[in-house]
Amino acid sequence: MTLSIDKPTSKKPPRLRDKTITLAHGSGGRAMQDLIEALFVQAFQEGPANALEDQARIPLDELTAQGDRLAFTTDSFVVDPIIFPGGDIGTLAVNGTVNDLAVSGAIPRYLTCAMILEEGLPMQTLRQVVASMAAAAKQAGVAIVTGDTKVVPRGGADKIFINTAGIGVMRTGVTPAAVHIQPGDVVLVNGPIGNHGATIMVARGELSLETDLQSDCQPLNGLVDAIVSVCPEVKAMRDATRGGLATVLNEFAESARVGIRLIEDQIPVDDAVKGLCELLGLDPLYLANEGKLVVVVPPEQAEEVLAAMRSHPSGTQSQIIGQVTEGQWVSLKTAFGTERVIDRLVDDQLPRIC
Amino acid sequence: MTLSIDKPTSKKPPRLRDKTITLAHGSGGRAMQDLIEALFVQAFQEGPANALEDQARIPLDELTAQGDRLAFTTDSFVVDPIIFPGGDIGTLAVNGTVNDLAVSGAIPRYLTCAMILEEGLPMQTLRQVVASMAAAAKQAGVAIVTGDTKVVPRGGADKIFINTAGIGVMRTGVTPAAVHIQPGDVVLVNGPIGNHGATIMVARGELSLETDLQSDCQPLNGLVDAIVSVCPEVKAMRDATRGGLATVLNEFAESARVGIRLIEDQIPVDDAVKGLCELLGLDPLYLANEGKLVVVVPPEQAEEVLAAMRSHPSGTQSQIIGQVTEGQWVSLKTAFGTERVIDRLVDDQLPRIC
Amino acid sequence: MCLGIPGQILDITDAAQKLATVDVSGVRRQVNIACIVDEEHPVESCVGDWVLVHVGFAMNRIDPEEAQITLDLLAEMAEVHESLAPI
Amino acid sequence: MCLGIPGQILDITDAAQKLATVDVSGVRRQVNIACIVDEEHPVESCVGDWVLVHVGFAMNRIDPEEAQITLDLLAEMAEVHESLAPI
Amino acid sequence: MKYVQEFRDPQKAQGLLQQIEVLGQQLTQSRPGPIKIMEVCGGHTHSIFKYGLESLLPSTVELVHGPGCPVCIMPKGRLDDAIALAQNPNVILATFGDVMRVPGSKQSLLQAKAEGADIRMVYSPLDALAIAQKHPDREIVFFAIGFETTAPSTALTVLQAERQGIKNFSLFCNHVLVVPALEALLSNPDLQLDGFIGPGHVSMVIGARPYQVIAQRYRKPVTISGFEPLDILQSLWMVLRQLAEGRCEVENQYARLVQEQGNLVALEAMAKVFTVREQFEWRGLGDIPASGFKMHPDYAHFDAEAKFTLPHRQVADHKACACGEILKGVKKPWECKVFGTGCTPEHPIGACMVSSEGACAAYYKYGRAQTAPELVSR
Amino acid sequence: MKYVQEFRDPQKAQGLLQQIEVLGQQLTQSRPGPIKIMEVCGGHTHSIFKYGLESLLPSTVELVHGPGCPVCIMPKGRLDDAIALAQNPNVILATFGDVMRVPGSKQSLLQAKAEGADIRMVYSPLDALAIAQKHPDREIVFFAIGFETTAPSTALTVLQAERQGIKNFSLFCNHVLVVPALEALLSNPDLQLDGFIGPGHVSMVIGARPYQVIAQRYRKPVTISGFEPLDILQSLWMVLRQLAEGRCEVENQYARLVQEQGNLVALEAMAKVFTVREQFEWRGLGDIPASGFKMHPDYAHFDAEAKFTLPHRQVADHKACACGEILKGVKKPWECKVFGTGCTPEHPIGACMVSSEGACAAYYKYGRAQTAPELVSR
Ligand code: SF4
Ligand code: SF4
Ligand SMILES: [Mg+2]
Ligand SMILES: [Mg+2]
Ligand SMILES: [Mg+2]
Ligand SMILES: [Mg+2]
Ligand SMILES: [Mg+2]
Ligand SMILES: [Mg+2]
Ligand SMILES: [Mg+2]
Ligand SMILES: [Mg+2]
Ligand SMILES: [Mg+2]
Ligand SMILES: [Mg+2]
């Protein structure tokens, strides 16, 4: 059973007396309904008023007023640990999907929230994650309009998994897509890379490392607005999540059948991320980000886009990091003046030590 | 990273050589891309032609041609075992979301597919589940247009979890919702209840029981078409999944502030489901279904709707099972001629034995 | 207390361990039939018998004649009632 | 082989076990400094030293003078090159 | 379903109901208040609510729901012991679903499981034994509950474990006995009962004879009853008939399953494996002499109470809880101050609210609309 | 980053490169083919590719990538042993990330982990010891790999385990030694090398002295080198200068870290805990005498090879794999028949394709666009 989260109810929400999540909270029975009403409905009540149905219902004319196409996306979030410096799995779950919509040039509008909870999860943890989701949704200006709750037996999942799907409206005339990329186009990024990946690696605790790093988790739709308003012709945008900057650029090159040449000196990387990479033999180009955007624009608009990005709070450290070329490789002009290929990795980077 | 599943690619898909899922398949790297291209893109290629972006893009005018509102829903599927008589987690994941759209009166159109896989999952199992999803989508006439793949370490999840979100177009003028239900309305169901719940309980093997039961998992959008075409005024529809028929009827009663009176003799229950319930002290009214629909219609249209349902392959055993009343309780006229309350359960039913 | 349900013995799965398959309205399970086996009723003779199943054991044999006697009595009482009912 | 990276000792966390905190460009970790402690360099004196960090051990002390000699030589060679380069 | 469906035929009830009405009127002409008949067994209570039988009865006949649900009468201390066993990391505790939600002093088995204890629900004690064979490195404790119906299965399982030489299996034995509990009730001066509907499945094991003490010493008629609605109505009628005829006997409505002597194999297995406790605590009723089984010394190596150290704390019942009076038939559930408000199936205070055979849960689930809607906030 | 950034300054490379060009030309005037210098160490190989140093070199100077990656030379049989250890349900195998993807005869550690073996990636052998303290009921085996740089850390960890009385910790010791491997290479008549860039971090432990045998017996110049691009270019220049001047000496470019005598604490710890094996198998190179460490008899109680029964099977390398010839500097990766087709980082056939310090992986990852694009299907 799915409950639309935005139940227009006058009655006061039930009190949640349970200290931990049990299988009852996923049973479809009253314990589940109480959880949904006491927690999710309260937190996410910003949405439009729908009845207590198994789906949200959205007038199409409200969407057609904003653009001509729907963007539709989904991501599951399984981050470990679920709470880390700079955010938690809830922040990620909202921003991740907001960003996947935003980079299509869409105005993100509505999100779903489907939780898989492990039996025994402290209720307090769930409260915190749900509060983060509500705050992130508010910040990004989206509504969480429908959801689902499943509970699996202890050991059947790792604390919390969240799936968010999202829809947004694509502005008429704005159609960023990797296939539009052409030689000569300019590649930008909105700030230092690798902070999220580095933060999570450290937060797991297995390496016994300490840093002051924080995840860069943030919504990018505001920044995209700024980009699109000066450059509706933007060729391509993508958030550089799993696989990092290198992976996104390889996807771009492959889709558009072009090469991309990066300038190492211009790619912003924070010192502690550099330190972690040196210590563990990693490459920051492949570290995950959760608030970093790669943008490709026609060369004549690069400076204007850069200026627009830098004047947005999410892009103050934006940089032009390279240019699209003929050819088929993503390559890097190293700080040493040489050139090397930046290929896709097969897999996650593992520490290289001995 | 999310890959739109319907990549228009001329190059032949990579060969999947791995026999099991490893963390590499969720890394964002080449192993993941190969998995997506070799498995998901091949299986789900029915969708519209989008570029390899992080979101599907759907023309809004295609939607406005079919209706005036969007229905938007999500469900995660965590069924254990993942393969059972009559279906598997893939069949469920597609039909579950198709049905949540259909019962709103919407024409289900597009689905997402987000998989959380446990490290060590046999590739063959994943292939089977994906094939089931593709087949179910084809049967329901929906396209799976975008997806996501995560892999968690062994022990971090139980084999496969699938989330599907779905969008559909609500036909202009058709607005089933529990709040519309009024005393006098008639309640129908499209066939015997409890088969899915009973099948899963037996399939877990812990009770060492054997039956010839099968899950009733099926798409209901065709049946809904048949209902709506004779009765666009349909008051409410809902698929009776977790919590079963009793839970849906309680939700209806609560939303509409009415009572509902069921006639036990008219509620279809298969013999083996009855046997299981007697053996374990369970009530079939609370067992889950995955292809059963509760419909509430105005009394004057009940017979016509019943006839329409019975002439559809998914409704040959449809029955009128009760009527909406004043009051606040869901009650049952027992086969013994008495009356009892059918309340919501707190929790899943547990076997009652000693 | 003590949920018990009639079932019919389908076959003997392990005569030494006194294990049999019982059918309850299409649900089959292996049960222990020690409680219904005695000199008069050797293991093999139990196939086809109706028994009361409780927590994986056949606890007693159901006596069809006694069942019929009860039903006949009830039918008789119902008939008497019918005949007395106002027309 | 043998990835090693310069880091600076921030403090001694356990003098008996010869454990210290090292900083590598903002990343801190506890390392074993047994290999750089001797009569001339008692544990406490190591704070502030630059060491080569490998698998959780400070393997050797970095000699700032030797480093400077190398850099000076390189600078000199670069200068000679500059002066020879076509104008 | 043979031997089930025939006994659910509402047509056949009409004669019985009419006779009950006649007898009820006759019996209450010369006394105040209705005739009170206790159905001892929780299974009967469940059927009565499931089939709405109370609504069919005349106001002259009242059913009192007895202490015959082994889950409802399990004291908190014993549950705490079971939870302590399950929390031992080397122990797998196996038990029936019935007992999973019953609140101990701090939590239920279901909550302990959510917090990491390894607790498995089984359909049969044989399934618990199979778990022991599958996990030779773990200790499997079967939390054995139930009346004499269930005790033989447990005993036979222990005998099988002995034959197969399985050493990592033991019982936490909480089997209880019907007749001593009834005697305890009957010795209570509060109690105003006119007769009993006797538990059919217990009687299938112990036979009809043990109830003679009730009929003879306490002068109350007993009818051993089946569990289908016609069985129960017929038994009620049989008790009323005894009353009307001034008889105090043990009658057997459930002759298709219950014999005078009970089941000899079952009785022998119980006699081998168990021995009667000096006393056992019943939730709501307190200590009752000779009312439970413990392991026979010959089978001490299968006794979890000997194998493991248990807290063994006695825990008082919640002071608001009227379970004891309800089990004695002195109060009705809705006469408990917290029924439906502080005490609900979601957050049960007393055990009667947990098991669906508990009188409070049964009223909450099936009976509220008719009997006490005003007591329940929705 | 101090002591790092300064050695990456491209401006400072210009003088070196010009000198290398001059020396290269001079040295090849009177002989066919380029001057071939082997960087022994995988860390150097990694830096050379990461900074694209080969593209800066004149055609007269060629770098040959040596056997100095402890992961690349790990034979399949030893990996199978490690996997067998990890598959023991009571064992937790701890090791460095480097070795996780290396294919054994059937699977890699990563695959074994996916199928349920308890394998933990650690940054330090001390972290493996901490796991042992945290899980007193399990056996923790540290799969110890690495050259003399890493061996002291392992030795010091064992000494700490001894001091703390930790009994559930042991080593599966696979430490290998640089100089014996070089001697084995140098005794090969195929080999055509003119000099060596010596491993800086190994030398920080063992000192400069052990390389004298190369300079003196085999008459090849050696320069011990740091790992930054300027270090490597300077070392290359120093080797060429020796060749030009007709010298065969052991020079030390990495004086900021390497002393003549090495690190005495480290050497002492190794001498206590380890003893040299009669021979050790190197993937691609076969058995090399005295080229690895095993546990010293005094520390046999920390020896996983003594504590556990291992398959100890020798497994032949894949017959298409040219790893051996590549490690000897006889072939370049793209001269292997399966490079980039049958053998990729995704599905490596040989170990050189696994570690990013392996020559094949380095060419695949960094070098393809320049050196051999036509060999690689995308
Ligand atoms: S309502 Fe609850 S507290 Fe009251 S008697 Fe019943 S079980 Fe006890
Ligand atoms: S390409 Fe692969 S098979 Fe060929 S030598 Fe390199 S590692 Fe061996
Ligand atoms: Mg639904
Ligand atoms: Mg849904
Ligand atoms: Mg749902
Ligand atoms: Mg994203
Ligand atoms: Mg993205
Ligand atoms: Mg996405
Ligand atoms: Mg994704
Ligand atoms: Mg659904
Ligand atoms: Mg336990
Ligand atoms: Mg293991």
Side-chain angles (χ1 to χ4, degrees), chain B residues 328 338 340 343 348 352, chain E residues 50-51 101 357 368 378:
Chain B
Q328 57 163 325
T338 55
R340 67 173 158 101
D343 204 357
D348 265 332
R352 181 179 65 85
Chain E
K50 184 170 170 196
Y51 294 100
R101 285 203 192 87
E357 298 185 354
R368 270 180 307 161
R378 272 198 82 165

Side-chain angles (χ1 to χ4, degrees), chain A residues 184-188 230-231 296-309 319-320 322-323:
Chain A
D185 289 345
V186 170
V187 182
L188 301 94
V230 300
C231 181
V296 184
V297 298
E300 57 281 6
Q301 286 172 282
E303 286 302 331
E304 200 184 349
V305 169
L306 180 64
M309 287 171 72
Q319 288 280 5
I320 289 174
Q323 195 155 25

Side-chain angles (χ1 to χ4, degrees), chain F residues 83-93 116-119 138-139:
Chain F
I83 291 169
L85 276 167
Q87 284 170 338
N88 178 330
N90 196 38
V91 167
I92 299 174
L93 187 87
D118 194 346
I119 300 173
R138 304 281 298 274
E139 279 290 332

Side-chain angles (χ1 to χ4, degrees), chain F residues 10-23:
Chain F
Q11 295 316 110
K12 293 223 174 80
Q14 298 312 313
L16 279 173
L17 288 170
Q18 198 225 2
Q19 293 295 315
I20 288 169
E21 170 124 31
V22 169
L23 287 171

